[in-house]
Amino acid sequence: ALPISYAAPARLSACTWTVYRLVLRSKYIRLQDIPGPPSASMIYGNLERIQKEDPGVPEREWAETYGGVVRFRTLLGVSSV
């Protein structure tokens, strides 16, 4: 067990962190929660399709399929909206 001098700040920190996380989850959407197409490649993500097709075609198809805001993957799996 922690000494009494450390117990109260430790509990307060844990409670503060828990409340903070609950508030953030209820007010903000996480990037990984935004729908989008599956990544075609672990390295290039969806960039190959974006580069091969006419400008805007993949994005329009994804918007029709997944809604107005779409998350897709770029180099090394980095998410982009």
Side-chain angles (χ1 to χ4, degrees), residues 11-78:
R11 278 191 224 123
L12 179 61
S13 296
C15 289
T16 303
W17 182 83
T18 302
V19 169
Y20 174 76
R21 293 295 296 166
L22 291 173
V23 168
L24 278 182
R25 277 201 186 139
S26 66
K27 289 189 175 189
Y28 301 103
I29 187 168
R30 297 179 308 175
L31 187 59
Q32 64 256 28
D33 292 336
I34 298 173
S39 181
S41 164
M42 288 179 61
I43 296 174
Y44 298 111
N46 302 106
L47 288 179
E48 287 182 286
R49 180 167 179 209
I50 292 171
Q51 291 176 347
K52 287 180 182 177
E53 295 189 26
D54 290 334
V57 171
E59 291 87 346
R60 277 191 298 268
E61 289 177 9
W62 295 336
E64 290 173 4
T65 304
Y66 300 104
V69 178
V70 178
R71 175 182 55 98
F72 61 94
R73 304 288 180 153
T74 58
L75 287 174
L76 301 176
V78 175

